[in-house]
Amino acid sequence: MTAIREPVVIHKGLDNVYVKESKICFIDGDASKLFYRGYSIDELADHSTFEETAFLLIYGWLPTTSQLEGFTQKLDSYRPLEPEVLRLIQEFPEQSDPMDVLRTAVSALGLYDPQPMTDELKLRIDKAMRILAKVPTIITAFDRIRNHKVPIQPKGQLTQAAEFLYMLTGNEPDPYDSHVMDVALILHAEHEMNASTFACTVTASTLADMYSITTSGIGTLRGPLHGGANEAALRTVLEVGDPSRAENYVADALARKKRIMGFGHRVYKTWDPRYLILKKFAGELATRKGQSGLFDTAVAIETSARKHLEGTPIFPNVDSYSGIVFHMLGNQTDLFTPIFAMSRIAGWTAHAIEYLESNRLIRPKALYMGKTGLPYLPIESRTGRLEA
Ligand code: ACO
């Protein structure tokens, strides 16, 4: 006997399914445009800071001077880790993936918040800021511990970007490096209803706390189909190794139906606007740091790929140069996705807060294709395999 089937449409991958109205982010994938709260990403990259952009995403408007000061002071005050959380990180296996460490440590932060559950908007924002501020401290503490170095306390009065680079190395970063890192954080802060933001929204819809919401996002970003393409794109550039080998690599990869990492996007069917900004910085960083070979190889891969993919909607995406930028800023490859998370928390929490303004529990359906009414067999009569 089979279950009665309703006439239904299955939206596998939820392609083109709208789950809420939103005023946070608009992507025009045909015109190569991205807006946060109505402001173009190009303008934000040119004029804003990550802190200001995070405020914009969470509150909905650009802050005044005093609002921005209050926001950054609060982030500063939240930045140090509770000793218990730091001790926990010290206990993790050194070979752990930093994304696993981040997921576990952010979850643990909730244990040291005396009131993790709240339905008050002000407190929800406060918890979002607490997580946002502590994530750079978590990532850098683990990176130093696994390299047998002592974690560095936040210096204070630095931007999220500069503080991250400072806690990573113990040296006050070059202002240009901090600026590039800051812009990279702005560019990764939000991208509408992607997989991790949806995961956060589902968790928020159950009225769970902000720590559970963010942990869901980190777990979802961890997968190679979402975060992680930046690492793969850099590995490709390192593997190709020289601009002269790019054409052969691309032709061979495409002939074998292999994807070129850092190319293609579900929404953008032309240039990803974030790619253009990061490419410029990657070129400048390469000159400054004497790593032109790396950049030239990436450009050669891009040129060959564009030639072979001409006539298709497959263009470079944000990840074609973000990995190179993070690499030249001194980050180990497995820190790229945690850095992505460090920025995207602004978007995740903004969407969770927005969804909770008119919450409805997210509870889709699965079309049952199995049997019903099977007789319960005693253990000695079972076949031990799936019956047709
Ligand atoms: N290189 C070569 N061919 C590609 C690429 C690529 N990077 N991307 C898509 N294609 C081809 C596919 O092989 C497929 O060809 P076919 O129809 O002949 O089989 C066609 O384009 C459509 O592919 P889909 O996977 O259906 O396209 P979609 O738009 O859903 O894919 C995705 C988007 C998953 C990002 C894809 O382009 C990809 O895998 N890119 C490489 C990984 C990457 O850079 N990811 C980062 C995305 S940005 C971000 O998440 C932050």
Side-chain angles (χ1 to χ4, degrees):
M1 177 181 160
T2 51
I4 299 164
R5 289 177 203 147
E6 307 159 19
V8 294
V9 180
I10 296 180
H11 296 280
K12 202 164 177 196
L14 301 185
D15 295 27
N16 297 320
V17 172
Y18 291 82
V19 295
K20 68 166 185 170
E21 290 182 348
S22 179
K23 291 184 175 165
I24 297 175
C25 179
F26 177 62
I27 306 169
D28 186 339
D30 296 320
S32 189
K33 297 274 179 224
L34 168 61
F35 299 91
Y36 294 171
R37 298 276 189 188
Y39 297 95
S40 112
I41 197 68
D42 302 289
E43 279 214 71
L44 292 171
D46 278 348
H47 305 297
S48 188
T49 60
F50 175 69
E51 283 71 13
E52 192 182 67
T53 299
F55 184 106
L56 171 70
L57 290 169
I58 293 171
Y59 284 95
W61 68 87
L62 282 171
T64 61
T65 304
S66 66
Q67 286 173 333
L68 186 59
E69 268 171 23
F71 190 74
T72 50
Q73 276 166 14
K74 200 162 224 185
L75 290 179
D76 260 358
S77 73
Y78 283 148
R79 195 88 68 199
L81 288 182
E82 287 72 8
E84 295 86 347
V85 177
L86 188 57
R87 274 206 296 278
L88 184 71
I89 296 172
Q90 276 160 337
E91 292 298 319
F92 292 146
E94 272 175 20
Q95 66 278 12
S96 303
D97 187 288
M99 275 301 270
D100 295 340
V101 168
L102 185 62
R103 186 193 60 228
T104 310
V106 166
S107 175
L109 288 180
L111 301 174
Y112 301 98
D113 180 333
Q115 197 198 338
M117 298 287 283
T118 178
D119 50 12
E120 222 185 287
L121 175 64
K122 197 165 166 288
L123 285 178
R124 274 192 194 129
I125 293 178
D126 197 64
K127 285 161 205 318
M129 290 173 67
R130 186 166 180 265
I131 301 167
L132 189 67
K134 287 184 192 295
V135 163
T137 325
I138 293 171
I139 301 170
T140 53
F142 176 67
D143 189 62
R144 289 187 68 83
I145 291 164
R146 71 176 171 172
N147 288 303
H148 308 124
K149 294 178 185 159
V150 178
I152 295 188
Q153 285 301 310
K155 192 173 173 66
Q157 300 195 320
L158 293 179
T159 62
Q160 176 110 336
E163 192 74 87
F164 173 79
L165 294 175
Y166 168 74
M167 289 191 285
L168 203 60
T169 62
N171 302 318
E172 194 136 347
D174 175 278
Y176 179 79
D177 287 4
S178 298
H179 172 62
V180 177
M181 188 73 188
D182 189 48
V183 175
L185 295 184
I186 293 174
L187 300 181
H188 285 86
E190 163 57 18
H191 216 227
E192 206 227 51
M193 199 45 66
N194 52 81
S196 56
T197 305
F198 182 57
C200 291
T201 308
V202 172
T203 308
S205 84
T206 70
L207 301 184
D209 62 283
M210 210 46 103
Y211 303 93
S212 301
I213 291 169
T214 317
T215 305
S216 304
I218 296 168
T220 309
L221 188 67
R222 166 118 171 63
L225 291 185
H226 189 7
N230 48 17
E231 298 180 17
L234 175 71
R235 285 200 185 96
T236 302
V237 177
L238 293 173
E239 185 192 324
V240 172
D242 189 87
S244 63
R245 287 197 281 274
E247 172 59 22
N248 274 353
Y249 171 85
V250 170
D252 179 60
L254 292 176
R256 289 190 291 116
K257 294 265 169 213
K258 227 178 118 186
R259 291 181 180 212
I260 310 297
M261 289 295 127
F263 268 72
H265 201 279
R266 184 65 65 79
V267 184
Y268 295 112
K269 296 306 164 198
T270 176
W271 312 105
D272 178 334
R274 302 167 298 174
Y275 138 83
L276 290 169
I277 300 167
L278 284 172
K279 183 178 179 182
K280 175 181 125 343
F281 283 117
E284 288 176 11
L285 272 174
T287 309
R288 282 170 168 261
K289 300 203 181 269
Q291 297 199 32
S292 298
L294 195 68
F295 178 69
D296 293 346
T297 306
V299 172
I301 293 172
E302 181 194 335
T303 308
S304 290
R306 278 303 303 142
K307 187 182 80 185
H308 286 276
L309 295 169
E310 203 181 339
T312 73
I314 306 168
F315 285 80
N317 62 46
V318 64
D319 288 328
S320 55
Y321 288 93
S322 62
I324 295 173
V325 165
F326 293 144
H327 173 78
M328 288 195 286
L329 289 174
N331 298 290
Q332 270 184 240
T333 311
D334 62 2
L335 293 187
F336 297 176
T337 314
I339 292 170
F340 188 161
M342 169 170 115
S343 157
R344 186 55 63 85
I345 284 166
W348 289 339
T349 52
H351 276 281
I353 289 164
E354 182 184 67
Y355 191 80
L356 288 168
E357 281 167 16
S358 58
N359 186 45
R360 178 160 173 82
L361 175 71
I362 296 177
R363 202 303 190 186
K365 291 183 85 174
L367 182 62
Y368 183 65
M369 302 296 283
K371 296 174 180 170
T372 54
L374 294 177
Y376 182 85
L377 297 176
I379 197 160
E380 59 280 7
S381 312
R382 299 172 194 167
T383 62
R385 60 186 148 73
L386 197 62
E387 299 297 328

